[in-house]
């Protein structure tokens, strides 16, 4: 049997709960900005011990809104180069200029040093991305640097549902945290996004932006250049059900990751990204560095063709400063980002992964690694 790259887990009970909630919305006609959205916001905030949550249409919208609230138009915004296109695209959509920074190979994340290296007098925000669900212990030093320079820290926590560092939850380290509920993320509403914040002004501004920049729900006075970034009630209903599984999903995923890490410890050629002290990852991605110069395409093809194991997508294979549409913002080489982008793979981790699937992945990866790298 094939181990798929990803599996979306809505069990029969959850499917029934979503169906009932959707039926209720259709019956009442409350199809947007209604009770399911409020329920989803409350539950997601509680799961992250955050004060406020604002549900929006996508993770990209969540980022763009946070950056618009900061006011990044015509300013520089620091982003890591090894992130999803949307991190930089949100900066551009908000009228800012992405400035790419390098990262640490041990966390795939920005450091205070790599951020400081690219700060300019025009920097208005730094977007820290918790790649794979790992929150870097550098987050406090990055926050302190931002505070000193009068720069806002925004988290792209699309990967980091339920993750923490020293008991502090993803989405609570900066002015705002942006989450995505795209289907492959650890919890999903099919499509959707969420902004977490402790700041009531950020919350109120985000609510204005998501609904066409209207000053009030029922008014037609547009006070911000918002857009239709609302989440539908049908999506919110699915998200509100799924978020109830977050703790159990994270626990299961961490169990899978622990088995991978233990089994791979004896394979010298492979370097898994492990949790820094104090960090609790959801292992949205289980990241493994291959040796320098390794033929990643061949590695992936061998485990797929011979062992029916589909590795999940990289995070990410082409850094943003080399993406065709972002070349105009490129600011020189970023050696660590380029290196880690070129030679990591991600092992499949599912929220309901079975033992036999874990074994199949390990057999595939250890066999191919020994053959290719000795
Ligand atoms: C998924 C993702 C996003 C965007 O989320 P959408 O909901 O697809 O808009 C942003 N940043 C990162 C790092 C992501 O993985």
């Amino acid at each position: 049997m094939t181990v798929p790259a990803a599996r979306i887990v809505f069990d029969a009970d959850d499917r029934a709960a979503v169906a009932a909630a959707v039926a209720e919305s259709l019956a009442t006609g409350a199809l947007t900005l209604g009770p399911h959205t409020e329920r989803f916001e409350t539950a997601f905030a509680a799961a992250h011990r955050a004060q406020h949550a604002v549900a929006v249409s996508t993770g990209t919208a969540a980022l763009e809104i946070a950056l618009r609230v900061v006011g990044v138009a015509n300013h520089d915004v620091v982003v890591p180069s090894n992130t999803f296109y949307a991190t930089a695209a949100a900066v551009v959509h908000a009228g800012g200029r992405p400035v790419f920074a390098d990262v640490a190979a041990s966390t795939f994340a920005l450091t205070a040093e790599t951020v400081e290296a690219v700060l300019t007098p025009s920097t208005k925000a730094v977007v820290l991305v918790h790649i794979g669900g790992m929150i870097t212990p550098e987050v406090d030093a990055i926050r302190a640097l931002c505070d000193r320079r009068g720069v806002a820290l925004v988290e792209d926590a699309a990967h980091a549902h339920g993750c923490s560092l020293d008991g502090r939850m993803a989405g609570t380290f900066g002015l705002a945290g942006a989450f995505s509920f795209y289907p492959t993320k650890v919890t999903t509403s099919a499509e959707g996004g969420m902004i977490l914040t402790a700041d009531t002004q950020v919350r109120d501004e985000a609510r204005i932006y998501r609904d066409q920049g209207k000053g009030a729900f029922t008014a037609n006075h547009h006070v911000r250049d918002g857009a239709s970034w609302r989440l539908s009630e049908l999506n919110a209903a699915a998200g509100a059900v799924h978020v109830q599984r977050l703790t159990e999903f994270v626990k299961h995923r961490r169990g899978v990751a622990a088995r991978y890490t233990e089994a791979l410890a004896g394979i010298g050629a492979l370097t898994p990204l492990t949790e820094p002290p104090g960090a609790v990852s959801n292992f949205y991605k289980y990241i493994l560095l291959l040796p320098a110069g390794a033929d990643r395409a061949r590695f992936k093809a061998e485990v797929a063709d011979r062992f029916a194991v589909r590795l999940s997508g990289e995070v990410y294979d082409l850094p943003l400063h080399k993406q065709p549409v972002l070349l105009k913002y490129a600011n020189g080489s970023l050696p660590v980002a380029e290196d880690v982008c070129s030679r990591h793979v991600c092992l499949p981790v599912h929220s309901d992964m079975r033992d036999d699937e874990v074994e199949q992945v390990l057999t595939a990866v250890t066999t191919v690694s020994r053959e290719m790298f000795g």
Side-chain angles (χ1 to χ4, degrees):
M1 281 238 293
T2 299
V3 179
R7 194 158 58 223
I8 289 131
V9 181
F10 276 93
D11 70 15
D13 286 349
D14 286 355
R15 294 198 297 272
V18 173
V22 166
E24 177 202 314
S25 295
L26 297 174
T28 63
L31 293 172
T32 196
L33 297 180
H36 293 311
T37 297
E38 268 180 44
R39 229 167 269 151
F40 187 24
E41 290 172 338
T42 303
F44 201 77
H48 294 82
R49 295 192 291 279
Q51 250 116 59
H52 311 294
V54 180
V56 296
S57 52
T58 65
T60 311
L63 273 172
E64 178 176 347
I65 291 169
L67 292 166
R68 282 184 179 272
V69 172
V70 169
V72 303
N74 302 309
H75 285 85
D76 291 342
V77 178
V78 177
V79 301
S81 192
N82 60 321
T83 178
F84 186 50
Y85 164 72
T87 314
V91 173
V92 175
H93 296 153
R97 287 180 300 268
V99 175
F100 303 118
D102 213 350
V103 293
S106 57
T107 59
F108 278 43
L110 298 172
T111 69
E113 198 179 327
T114 64
V115 171
E116 188 151 30
V118 297
L119 285 181
T120 70
S122 178
T123 306
K124 199 81 185 244
V126 171
V127 183
L128 177 64
V129 187
H130 307 307
I131 292 287
M134 214 76 93
I135 301 176
T136 174
E138 283 273 323
V139 64
D140 291 316
I142 294 169
R143 175 66 196 262
L145 172 64
C146 287
D147 289 350
R148 270 202 310 282
R149 299 293 191 95
V151 167
L153 178 64
V154 172
E155 293 169 71
D156 180 340
H159 295 186
H161 305 194
C163 299
S164 62
L165 177 73
D166 299 326
R168 297 171 293 163
M169 301 300 294
T172 66
F173 291 91
L175 182 66
F179 291 78
S180 163
F181 303 105
Y182 184 78
T184 58
K185 306 290 157 86
V186 171
T187 58
T188 180
S189 56
E191 296 280 5
M194 192 80 76
I195 298 159
L196 296 185
T197 185
D199 187 313
T200 53
Q201 203 181 333
V202 172
R203 175 201 62 194
D204 294 345
E205 287 286 328
R207 286 179 179 161
I208 291 171
Y209 273 105
R210 80 172 162 186
D211 192 20
Q212 304 282 17
K214 285 195 295 194
F217 183 52
T218 49
N220 263 321
H221 292 205
H222 299 265
V223 297
R224 296 286 181 272
D225 49 357
S228 49
W229 284 314
R230 298 170 306 270
L231 185 68
S232 89
E233 281 283 283
L234 313 188
N235 292 101
V241 168
H242 219 213
V243 70
Q244 303 302 334
R245 300 290 179 187
L246 179 58
T247 305
E248 147 194 351
F249 283 179
V250 172
K251 183 160 179 266
H252 192 87
R253 303 174 71 88
R254 293 174 55 71
V256 170
R259 290 188 58 193
Y260 284 162
T261 300
E262 193 188 335
L264 295 174
I267 313 286
L270 302 177
T271 312
L273 216 69
T274 53
E275 288 170 329
V280 173
S281 175
N282 61 13
F283 289 94
Y284 171 63
K285 296 284 179 172
Y286 187 95
I287 299 171
L288 203 54
L289 282 167
L290 304 179
D295 183 347
R296 171 168 57 196
R298 187 182 144 207
F299 185 87
K300 291 178 72 176
E302 299 265 341
V303 301
D305 298 346
R306 290 166 50 205
F307 298 92
V309 170
R310 312 263 165 222
L311 299 187
S312 61
E314 282 83 46
V315 284
Y316 290 82
D317 63 344
L318 188 65
L320 296 187
H321 65 284
K322 299 197 176 236
Q323 293 286 356
V325 75
L326 295 170
L327 279 178
K328 56 179 170 291
Y329 302 106
N331 49 350
S333 77
L334 298 166
V336 180
E338 287 167 27
D339 176 50
V340 298
C341 284
S342 74
R343 65 181 175 97
H344 77 276
V345 292
C346 296
L347 304 190
V349 177
H350 311 150
S351 296
D352 65 347
M353 201 161 189
R354 299 186 313 268
D355 289 349
D356 62 295
E357 293 179 307
V358 172
E359 289 308 322
Q360 190 175 337
V361 172
L362 283 169
T363 301
V365 167
T366 55
T367 307
V368 173
S369 172
R370 287 205 183 91
E371 287 172 11
M372 283 182 69
F373 315 125

